[in-house]
Coordinates of all heavy atoms in Angstrom, one line a residue:
M21 N 84.6 11.2 32.9 CA 85.0 12.5 33.4 C 85.3 13.3 32.2 O 86.0 12.9 31.3 CB 86.1 12.4 34.4 CG 86.4 13.8 34.9 SD 87.9 13.7 36.1 CE 87.1 14.5 37.4
R22 N 84.8 14.6 32.2 CA 85.0 15.5 31.0 C 86.4 16.1 31.0 O 86.8 16.3 32.2 CB 84.0 16.6 31.0 CG 82.7 16.3 30.5 CD 81.8 17.4 30.5 NE 82.3 18.6 31.0 CZ 81.6 19.8 31.2 NH1 80.4 19.7 30.9 NH2 82.1 20.8 31.8
T23 N 87.0 16.3 29.9 CA 88.2 16.9 29.8 C 87.9 18.4 29.8 O 87.0 19.0 29.1 CB 88.9 16.6 28.6 OG1 89.1 15.2 28.5 CG2 90.3 17.3 28.5
I24 N 88.7 19.2 30.6 CA 88.4 20.7 30.8 C 89.5 21.3 30.0 O 90.7 21.1 30.2 CB 88.5 21.1 32.2 CG1 87.4 20.3 33.0 CG2 88.3 22.6 32.3 CD1 87.6 20.5 34.5
R25 N 89.1 22.1 29.0 CA 90.1 22.9 28.2 C 90.5 24.1 28.9 O 89.7 24.8 29.6 CB 89.5 23.2 26.8 CG 89.3 22.0 26.0 CD 88.9 22.4 24.6 NE 87.5 22.0 24.5 CZ 86.6 22.5 23.8 NH1 86.9 23.6 23.1 NH2 85.3 22.1 23.8
K26 N 91.8 24.6 28.7 CA 92.2 25.8 29.4 C 91.5 26.9 28.9 O 91.2 27.8 29.7 CB 93.8 25.9 29.1 CG 94.6 25.0 29.8 CD 96.1 25.3 29.6 CE 96.9 24.4 30.4 NZ 98.3 24.8 30.3
T27 N 91.0 27.1 27.6 CA 90.3 28.2 27.2 C 89.0 28.3 28.0 O 88.5 29.4 28.3 CB 90.1 28.2 25.7 OG1 89.5 26.9 25.4 CG2 91.4 28.3 24.9
Q28 N 88.4 27.1 28.2 CA 87.2 27.2 29.0 C 87.3 27.7 30.4 O 86.5 28.5 30.8 CB 86.5 25.7 29.0 CG 85.3 25.6 29.7 CD 84.8 24.2 29.9 OE1 85.5 23.3 29.5 NE2 83.6 24.0 30.4
T29 N 88.4 27.3 31.1 CA 88.5 27.8 32.4 C 88.9 29.2 32.5 O 88.7 29.9 33.5 CB 89.6 26.9 33.2 OG1 90.8 27.0 32.5 CG2 89.1 25.5 33.3
K30 N 89.6 29.7 31.5 CA 90.0 31.1 31.5 C 88.8 32.0 31.5 O 88.8 33.1 32.1 CB 90.9 31.5 30.4 CG 92.3 30.9 30.6 CD 93.2 31.4 29.5 CE 94.6 30.8 29.6 NZ 95.5 31.1 28.6
R31 N 87.7 31.6 30.8 CA 86.5 32.5 30.7 C 85.7 32.4 32.0 O 84.8 33.2 32.2 CB 85.7 32.1 29.5 CG 86.3 32.5 28.2 CD 85.3 32.2 27.1 NE 85.1 30.8 27.0 CZ 85.3 30.1 25.9 NH1 85.6 30.6 24.8 NH2 85.0 28.8 25.9
C32 N 85.8 31.3 32.7 CA 85.0 31.1 34.0 C 85.5 31.9 35.1 O 86.7 31.9 35.3 CB 85.1 29.6 34.4 SG 84.2 28.5 33.3
R33 N 84.7 32.7 35.7 CA 85.0 33.5 36.9 C 84.0 33.2 37.9 O 82.8 33.3 37.8 CB 84.9 35.0 36.5 CG 85.9 35.5 35.5 CD 87.3 35.4 36.0 NE 87.5 36.5 37.0 CZ 88.5 36.7 37.8 NH1 89.6 35.9 37.5 NH2 88.6 37.6 38.6
W34 N 84.5 32.8 39.0 CA 83.7 32.5 40.2 C 83.0 33.8 40.6 O 83.7 34.9 40.6 CB 84.6 32.1 41.4 CG 83.9 31.6 42.6 CD1 83.3 30.4 42.8 CD2 83.6 32.4 43.7 NE1 82.7 30.4 44.1 CE2 82.8 31.6 44.6 CE3 83.9 33.8 44.0 CZ2 82.4 32.1 45.8 CZ3 83.4 34.2 45.3 CH2 82.7 33.4 46.1
P35 N 81.7 33.9 41.1 CA 80.8 32.8 41.3 C 79.8 32.5 40.2 O 78.7 32.2 40.5 CB 80.1 33.3 42.5 CG 80.0 34.8 42.3 CD 81.2 35.2 41.6
A36 N 80.1 32.7 38.9 CA 79.2 32.4 37.8 C 78.8 31.0 38.0 O 79.6 30.0 38.0 CB 79.9 32.6 36.5
K37 N 77.4 30.8 38.0 CA 76.9 29.4 38.3 C 77.4 28.3 37.3 O 77.6 27.2 37.6 CB 75.4 29.4 38.3 CG 74.8 30.2 39.4 CD 73.4 30.2 39.5 CE 72.9 31.0 40.7 NZ 71.7 30.7 41.2
E38 N 77.5 28.8 36.0 CA 78.0 27.7 35.0 C 79.4 27.4 35.2 O 79.9 26.4 34.6 CB 77.7 28.3 33.6 CG 78.5 29.5 33.2 CD 77.9 30.8 33.6 OE1 76.8 30.8 34.3 OE2 78.4 31.9 33.2
C39 N 80.2 28.1 35.9 CA 81.6 27.9 36.1 C 82.0 27.2 37.5 O 83.1 26.8 37.6 CB 82.5 29.1 35.9 SG 82.2 29.8 34.2
V40 N 81.1 27.3 38.4 CA 81.4 26.9 39.8 C 81.9 25.5 39.9 O 83.0 25.2 40.4 CB 80.2 27.1 40.8 CG1 80.5 26.5 42.1 CG2 80.0 28.6 40.9
E41 N 81.2 24.5 39.2 CA 81.6 23.1 39.3 C 82.9 22.9 38.5 O 83.7 22.1 39.0 CB 80.5 22.2 38.7 CG 79.3 22.1 39.5 CD 79.6 21.5 40.9 OE1 80.4 20.5 41.0 OE2 79.1 22.0 41.9
T42 N 83.1 23.5 37.5 CA 84.4 23.4 36.7 C 85.6 23.8 37.5 O 86.6 23.1 37.7 CB 84.3 24.1 35.4 OG1 83.3 23.7 34.6 CG2 85.6 24.0 34.7
L43 N 85.4 25.0 38.1 CA 86.5 25.6 38.9 C 86.7 24.7 40.2 O 87.9 24.5 40.6 CB 86.3 27.0 39.3 CG 86.2 27.9 38.1 CD1 85.8 29.3 38.4 CD2 87.7 28.0 37.4
R44 N 85.6 24.2 40.8 CA 85.8 23.4 41.9 C 86.5 22.1 41.7 O 87.4 21.7 42.4 CB 84.4 23.1 42.6 CG 84.5 22.4 43.9 CD 83.1 22.0 44.5 NE 82.3 23.1 44.7 CZ 81.0 23.3 44.5 NH1 80.3 22.4 43.9 NH2 80.4 24.4 44.8
T45 N 86.2 21.6 40.6 CA 86.9 20.3 40.2 C 88.4 20.6 39.9 O 89.2 19.8 40.5 CB 86.3 19.8 38.8 OG1 84.8 19.5 39.1 CG2 86.9 18.5 38.4
L46 N 88.7 21.7 39.4 CA 90.2 22.0 39.2 C 90.8 22.2 40.5 O 92.0 21.8 40.7 CB 90.3 23.2 38.3 CG 90.0 23.1 36.8 CD1 90.0 24.4 36.1 CD2 90.9 22.0 36.2
R47 N 90.1 22.9 41.4 CA 90.8 23.2 42.7 C 90.9 21.9 43.6 O 91.8 21.8 44.4 CB 90.0 24.2 43.5 CG 90.2 25.7 42.9 CD 89.7 26.7 43.8 NE 88.3 26.5 44.1 CZ 87.2 27.1 43.5 NH1 87.4 27.9 42.5 NH2 86.0 26.9 43.9
R48 N 90.1 20.9 43.4 CA 90.1 19.7 44.2 C 91.0 18.7 43.6 O 91.3 17.6 44.2 CB 88.8 19.1 44.3 CG 87.8 19.9 45.3 CD 86.5 19.3 45.3 NE 85.7 19.9 46.3 CZ 84.8 19.4 47.0 NH1 84.5 18.2 46.9 NH2 84.1 20.2 48.0
K49 N 91.5 18.9 42.4 CA 92.4 17.9 41.7 C 93.6 17.7 42.5 O 94.3 18.6 42.9 CB 92.7 18.5 40.3 CG 93.3 17.4 39.4 CD 93.4 18.0 38.0 CE 93.8 17.0 37.1 NZ 93.9 17.5 35.7
G50 N 93.9 16.4 42.7 CA 95.2 16.0 43.4 C 95.2 16.0 44.9 O 96.2 15.7 45.5
R51 N 93.9 16.1 45.4 CA 93.9 16.0 46.9 C 94.0 14.5 47.4 O 93.5 13.6 46.8 CB 92.5 16.4 47.4 CG 92.4 18.0 47.5 CD 91.1 18.2 48.2 NE 90.8 19.7 48.1 CZ 89.5 20.2 48.4 NH1 88.6 19.4 48.7 NH2 89.4 21.5 48.3
N52 N 94.7 14.3 48.5 CA 95.0 13.0 48.9 C 94.1 12.7 50.1 O 93.8 11.6 50.5 CB 96.4 12.8 49.3 CG 97.3 12.9 48.1 OD1 96.9 12.5 47.0 ND2 98.6 13.3 48.3
K53 N 93.7 13.8 50.8 CA 92.9 13.6 52.0 C 91.6 14.5 51.9 O 91.6 15.5 51.2 CB 93.7 14.2 53.2 CG 95.0 13.6 53.6 CD 95.5 14.1 54.9 CE 96.9 14.5 54.9 NZ 97.3 14.9 56.3
P54 N 90.6 14.2 52.7 CA 89.4 15.1 52.8 C 89.8 16.3 53.5 O 90.7 16.3 54.3 CB 88.4 14.2 53.5 CG 89.2 13.2 54.3 CD 90.4 13.0 53.5
V55 N 89.1 17.4 53.1 CA 89.4 18.7 53.7 C 88.3 19.2 54.7 O 87.1 19.0 54.4 CB 89.6 19.8 52.6 CG1 89.8 21.1 53.2 CG2 90.8 19.3 51.7
I56 N 88.8 19.6 55.9 CA 87.8 20.2 56.8 C 88.3 21.6 57.1 O 89.5 21.9 57.3 CB 87.7 19.4 58.1 CG1 86.5 20.0 59.0 CG2 89.0 19.3 58.8 CD1 86.1 19.1 60.2
M57 N 87.3 22.6 57.0 CA 87.7 24.0 57.3 C 87.1 24.2 58.7 O 85.9 24.0 59.0 CB 87.0 24.9 56.3 CG 87.4 26.4 56.6 SD 86.9 27.4 55.3 CE 87.2 29.0 56.0
V58 N 88.0 24.8 59.5 CA 87.6 25.2 60.9 C 87.5 26.7 61.0 O 88.4 27.4 60.7 CB 88.6 24.6 61.9 CG1 88.2 25.0 63.4 CG2 88.8 23.1 61.8
S59 N 86.2 27.1 61.5 CA 86.0 28.6 61.7 C 87.0 29.0 62.8 O 87.1 28.4 63.8 CB 84.6 28.8 62.1 OG 84.4 30.2 62.4
S60 N 87.7 30.1 62.5 CA 88.7 30.6 63.5 C 88.4 32.1 63.8 O 89.4 32.9 64.0 CB 90.1 30.5 62.8 OG 90.2 31.2 61.7
T61 N 87.2 32.4 63.9 CA 86.8 33.9 64.2 C 86.9 34.1 65.7 O 86.6 35.2 66.1 CB 85.4 34.2 63.6 OG1 84.5 33.3 64.2 CG2 85.3 34.1 62.2
V62 N 87.2 33.2 66.5 CA 87.2 33.4 67.9 C 88.6 33.3 68.4 O 89.2 32.4 68.8 CB 86.4 32.3 68.7 CG1 85.0 32.6 68.6 CG2 86.6 30.9 68.1
Y63 N 89.4 34.4 68.3 CA 90.8 34.5 68.6 C 91.1 34.2 70.1 O 92.2 33.7 70.3 CB 91.3 35.9 68.2 CG 91.3 36.1 66.7 CD1 90.4 36.9 66.1 CD2 92.2 35.5 65.9 CE1 90.5 37.1 64.7 CE2 92.3 35.6 64.6 CZ 91.3 36.4 63.9 OH 91.4 36.6 62.6
P64 N 90.3 34.5 71.0 CA 90.8 34.2 72.5 C 91.0 32.7 72.7 O 91.6 32.4 73.7 CB 89.6 34.7 73.3 CG 88.9 35.6 72.5 CD 89.0 35.2 71.1
I65 N 90.5 31.9 71.8 CA 90.7 30.4 72.0 C 91.7 29.8 71.0 O 91.6 28.7 70.6 CB 89.4 29.6 72.0 CG1 88.7 29.8 70.7 CG2 88.5 30.1 73.2 CD1 87.6 28.8 70.6
R66 N 92.8 30.5 70.6 CA 93.8 30.1 69.7 C 94.4 28.7 70.1 O 94.5 27.8 69.3 CB 94.9 31.0 69.6 CG 94.6 32.0 68.4 CD 95.9 32.8 68.1 NE 95.6 33.7 67.1 CZ 96.1 34.9 67.0 NH1 96.9 35.4 67.9 NH2 95.8 35.7 66.0
P67 N 94.7 28.5 71.5 CA 95.3 27.2 71.9 C 94.3 26.1 71.6 O 94.7 25.0 71.1 CB 95.5 27.4 73.4 CG 95.7 28.9 73.6 CD 94.8 29.5 72.6
L68 N 93.0 26.3 71.8 CA 92.0 25.3 71.5 C 92.0 25.0 70.0 O 91.9 23.8 69.6 CB 90.6 25.7 72.0 CG 89.5 24.7 71.8 CD1 89.8 23.4 72.4 CD2 88.1 25.3 72.2
L69 N 92.0 26.0 69.2 CA 92.0 25.8 67.8 C 93.2 25.0 67.3 O 93.2 24.1 66.4 CB 92.0 27.1 67.0 CG 90.7 27.9 67.0 CD1 90.9 29.3 66.4 CD2 89.6 27.1 66.3
Q70 N 94.4 25.2 67.9 CA 95.6 24.6 67.6 C 95.5 23.1 67.9 O 95.9 22.2 67.2 CB 96.8 25.2 68.2 CG 97.1 26.5 67.6 CD 98.3 27.3 68.4 OE1 98.5 27.0 69.5 NE2 98.9 28.3 67.7
K71 N 95.0 22.8 69.1 CA 94.8 21.4 69.5 C 93.8 20.7 68.6 O 94.0 19.6 68.2 CB 94.2 21.4 71.0 CG 95.2 21.7 72.0 CD 94.7 21.7 73.4 CE 95.7 22.2 74.4 NZ 95.1 22.2 75.8
L72 N 92.7 21.4 68.3 CA 91.7 20.8 67.4 C 92.3 20.5 66.0 O 92.1 19.4 65.4 CB 90.5 21.8 67.2 CG 89.3 21.3 66.3 CD1 88.7 20.0 66.9 CD2 88.3 22.4 66.3
Q73 N 93.1 21.4 65.5 CA 93.9 21.2 64.2 C 94.7 19.9 64.3 O 94.7 19.1 63.4 CB 94.6 22.4 63.8 CG 95.3 22.3 62.5 CD 96.1 23.6 62.1 OE1 96.2 24.5 62.9 NE2 96.5 23.7 60.9
G74 N 95.4 19.8 65.4 CA 96.3 18.6 65.6 C 95.5 17.3 65.6 O 95.9 16.3 65.0
V75 N 94.4 17.3 66.3 CA 93.5 16.1 66.4 C 92.9 15.8 65.1 O 93.0 14.6 64.6 CB 92.4 16.3 67.4 CG1 91.4 15.3 67.4 CG2 93.0 16.4 68.8
L76 N 92.4 16.8 64.3 CA 91.9 16.5 63.0 C 93.0 16.0 62.0 O 92.6 15.1 61.2 CB 91.1 17.7 62.5 CG 89.8 18.1 63.3 CD1 89.3 19.4 62.8 CD2 88.7 17.0 63.1
D77 N 94.1 16.7 62.1 CA 95.2 16.3 61.2 C 95.6 14.9 61.5 O 95.8 14.1 60.5 CB 96.4 17.2 61.4 CG 97.5 17.0 60.4 OD1 97.1 16.9 59.2 OD2 98.6 16.8 60.8
S78 N 95.7 14.4 62.7 CA 96.1 13.0 63.1 C 95.0 12.0 62.6 O 95.3 10.9 62.5 CB 96.5 12.9 64.5 OG 95.3 13.1 65.3
A79 N 93.8 12.5 62.5 CA 92.7 11.6 62.1 C 92.6 11.5 60.6 O 91.7 10.8 60.1 CB 91.3 12.2 62.7
G80 N 93.4 12.2 59.9 CA 93.5 11.9 58.5 C 92.9 13.1 57.6 O 92.8 12.9 56.4
W81 N 92.5 14.2 58.2 CA 92.0 15.4 57.5 C 93.1 16.3 57.1 O 94.1 16.4 57.8 CB 91.0 16.1 58.3 CG 89.7 15.4 58.7 CD1 89.5 14.6 59.7 CD2 88.5 15.5 57.9 NE1 88.2 14.1 59.7 CE2 87.6 14.7 58.6 CE3 88.1 16.2 56.8 CZ2 86.3 14.5 58.1 CZ3 86.8 16.0 56.4 CH2 85.9 15.2 57.0
E82 N 92.9 17.0 56.0 CA 93.6 18.2 55.7 C 92.9 19.4 56.3 O 91.6 19.6 56.0 CB 93.8 18.4 54.2 CG 94.5 19.7 53.8 CD 94.6 19.9 52.3 OE1 94.5 18.9 51.5 OE2 94.8 21.0 51.9
V83 N 93.5 20.1 57.2 CA 92.7 21.1 58.0 C 93.1 22.5 57.5 O 94.2 22.9 57.4 CB 93.1 21.0 59.5 CG1 92.2 21.9 60.4 CG2 92.9 19.5 60.0
W84 N 92.0 23.2 57.3 CA 92.1 24.6 56.8 C 91.7 25.5 58.0 O 90.5 25.4 58.4 CB 91.3 25.0 55.6 CG 91.8 24.4 54.3 CD1 92.9 23.7 54.1 CD2 91.0 24.3 53.1 NE1 93.0 23.3 52.8 CE2 91.8 23.7 52.2 CE3 89.8 24.8 52.7 CZ2 91.4 23.4 50.8 CZ3 89.4 24.6 51.4 CH2 90.2 23.9 50.5
V85 N 92.6 26.3 58.5 CA 92.2 27.4 59.5 C 92.8 28.7 59.0 O 93.9 28.8 58.9 CB 92.8 27.0 60.9 CG1 92.4 27.9 62.0 CG2 92.4 25.5 61.3
S86 N 91.9 29.7 58.8 CA 92.4 30.9 58.2 C 93.4 31.6 59.1 O 94.3 32.2 58.7 CB 91.3 31.9 57.9 OG 90.5 32.2 59.0
D87 N 93.3 31.4 60.5 CA 94.2 32.0 61.4 C 95.5 31.5 61.3 O 96.5 32.2 61.5 CB 93.6 31.9 62.9 CG 94.5 32.6 63.8 OD1 94.8 33.7 63.6 OD2 94.8 31.9 64.9
Q88 N 95.6 30.2 60.8 CA 96.9 29.5 60.6 C 97.5 29.8 59.2 O 98.6 29.3 58.9 CB 96.7 28.1 60.9 CG 96.3 27.7 62.3 CD 97.3 28.1 63.3 OE1 98.5 27.9 63.1 NE2 96.9 28.6 64.5
G89 N 96.7 30.4 58.3 CA 97.2 30.6 57.0 C 97.1 29.5 56.1 O 97.8 29.4 55.0
S90 N 96.3 28.5 56.4 CA 96.2 27.3 55.6 C 95.1 27.3 54.6 O 94.9 26.3 53.9 CB 96.1 26.1 56.5 OG 95.0 26.2 57.4
V91 N 94.3 28.3 54.6 CA 93.2 28.4 53.6 C 93.7 28.9 52.3 O 94.4 30.0 52.3 CB 92.0 29.4 54.2 CG1 90.9 29.6 53.1 CG2 91.5 28.8 55.5
P92 N 93.4 28.3 51.2 CA 93.9 28.7 50.0 C 93.3 30.1 49.6 O 92.0 30.3 49.8 CB 93.5 27.6 49.0 CG 92.5 26.8 49.6 CD 92.6 27.1 51.1
V93 N 94.1 31.0 49.1 CA 93.5 32.4 48.7 C 93.9 32.6 47.2 O 94.9 32.2 46.7 CB 94.1 33.4 49.6 CG1 93.5 33.2 51.0 CG2 95.5 33.6 49.7
D94 N 93.0 33.5 46.7 CA 93.3 34.0 45.3 C 93.3 35.6 45.5 O 92.3 36.2 45.9 CB 92.2 33.6 44.3 CG 92.4 34.0 42.9 OD1 93.1 35.0 42.7 OD2 91.9 33.3 42.1
S95 N 94.4 36.2 45.1 CA 94.6 37.6 45.3 C 93.6 38.5 44.5 O 93.4 39.7 44.7 CB 96.0 38.0 45.0 OG 96.3 37.7 43.6
D96 N 92.9 37.8 43.6 CA 91.9 38.6 42.8 C 90.6 38.8 43.6 O 89.8 39.6 43.1 CB 91.5 37.7 41.5 CG 92.7 37.8 40.4 OD1 93.5 38.6 40.5 OD2 92.6 36.8 39.6
F97 N 90.5 38.1 44.7 CA 89.2 38.2 45.5 C 89.5 38.8 46.9 O 90.6 38.7 47.4 CB 88.6 36.8 45.6 CG 88.3 36.2 44.3 CD1 89.0 35.1 43.8 CD2 87.3 36.7 43.5 CE1 88.7 34.5 42.6 CE2 87.0 36.1 42.2 CZ 87.6 35.1 41.8
S98 N 88.5 39.3 47.5 CA 88.5 39.9 48.8 C 88.7 38.6 49.9 O 88.4 37.5 49.5 CB 87.2 40.6 49.2 OG 86.1 39.8 49.2
A99 N 88.9 39.0 51.1 CA 89.0 38.0 52.1 C 87.7 37.2 52.2 O 87.7 36.0 52.5 CB 89.4 38.6 53.4
L100 N 86.6 38.0 52.2 CA 85.3 37.3 52.3 C 85.0 36.4 51.3 O 84.6 35.2 51.5 CB 84.1 38.4 52.4 CG 82.7 37.9 52.5 CD1 82.6 37.1 53.8 CD2 81.8 39.0 52.4
K101 N 85.3 36.8 49.9 CA 85.1 35.9 48.9 C 86.0 34.7 48.9 O 85.5 33.5 48.6 CB 85.2 36.6 47.5 CG 84.1 37.5 47.2 CD 84.1 38.0 45.9 CE 83.0 39.0 45.5 NZ 83.0 39.5 44.2
N102 N 87.2 34.9 49.4 CA 88.1 33.7 49.5 C 87.7 32.7 50.6 O 87.7 31.5 50.4 CB 89.6 34.2 49.8 CG 90.3 34.5 48.6 OD1 90.5 33.7 47.7 ND2 90.9 35.8 48.6
C103 N 87.1 33.3 51.6 CA 86.5 32.4 52.7 C 85.3 31.7 52.2 O 85.2 30.4 52.4 CB 86.1 33.3 53.9 SG 85.7 32.4 55.4
I104 N 84.5 32.3 51.5 CA 83.3 31.6 50.9 C 83.6 30.6 49.9 O 83.1 29.5 49.9 CB 82.3 32.7 50.3 CG1 81.7 33.5 51.4 CG2 81.2 31.9 49.5 CD1 81.0 34.8 50.8
R105 N 84.7 30.9 49.1 CA 85.2 29.8 48.2 C 85.7 28.6 48.9 O 85.5 27.5 48.6 CB 86.3 30.4 47.3 CG 85.8 31.3 46.2 CD 86.9 31.8 45.4 NE 87.6 30.7 44.7 CZ 88.6 30.9 43.9 NH1 89.1 32.1 43.8 NH2 89.2 29.9 43.3
A106 N 86.5 28.9 50.0 CA 87.1 27.8 50.8 C 86.0 26.9 51.5 O 86.1 25.7 51.4 CB 87.9 28.3 51.9
V107 N 85.0 27.5 52.0 CA 83.8 26.8 52.6 C 83.2 26.0 51.5 O 82.8 24.8 51.7 CB 82.8 27.7 53.2 CG1 81.5 27.0 53.6 CG2 83.4 28.4 54.5
D108 N 83.0 26.5 50.3 CA 82.5 25.8 49.2 C 83.3 24.6 48.7 O 82.8 23.6 48.3 CB 82.2 26.7 48.0 CG 81.3 26.2 46.9 OD1 80.4 25.5 47.2 OD2 81.7 26.5 45.7
D109 N 84.6 24.8 48.8 CA 85.6 23.7 48.3 C 85.8 22.6 49.4 O 86.3 21.6 49.0 CB 86.9 24.3 47.9 CG 86.8 25.1 46.6 OD1 85.8 25.0 45.9 OD2 87.7 25.9 46.3
C110 N 85.6 22.9 50.7 CA 86.0 21.9 51.6 C 85.0 20.8 51.6 O 83.8 21.0 51.2 CB 86.2 22.5 53.0 SG 84.6 23.2 53.8
D111 N 85.4 19.7 52.2 CA 84.4 18.5 52.3 C 83.6 18.6 53.6 O 82.5 18.1 53.6 CB 85.3 17.2 52.3 CG 86.0 17.0 51.1 OD1 85.4 17.1 50.0 OD2 87.3 16.9 51.1
A112 N 84.1 19.3 54.6 CA 83.4 19.4 55.8 C 83.7 20.8 56.4 O 84.8 21.3 56.2 CB 83.6 18.3 56.8
F113 N 82.7 21.4 57.2 CA 83.0 22.7 57.8 C 82.6 22.6 59.3 O 81.6 22.0 59.6 CB 82.1 23.8 57.2 CG 82.3 25.1 57.8 CD1 83.4 26.0 57.5 CD2 81.3 25.6 58.7 CE1 83.5 27.2 58.2 CE2 81.4 26.8 59.3 CZ 82.5 27.6 59.1
L114 N 83.6 23.1 60.1 CA 83.4 23.1 61.6 C 83.3 24.5 62.1 O 84.3 25.2 62.0 CB 84.4 22.3 62.3 CG 84.3 22.2 63.8 CD1 83.1 21.5 64.3 CD2 85.5 21.5 64.4
G115 N 82.1 25.0 62.5 CA 81.9 26.4 62.9 C 81.9 26.5 64.4 O 81.7 25.7 65.2

């Protein structure tokens, strides 16, 4: 595994193709569980989303649901770009 220097990561800005893998590696560092992102654009079924989140969590997943505030965000980016980054960073996506 390559060592990533801080100066290298400071110059990298998502979504530059040469930096995507470096930044993704840094964001995934230290994860203990696989991550699944659940699409939460259907607000009328919030109770179903909460149940699904509980089931996936008990099955060993780290669950990201934007409605629950569990999706990592960077204030330098818009909501859409943060969502795209999260989909790119997760191990599985449930839409």
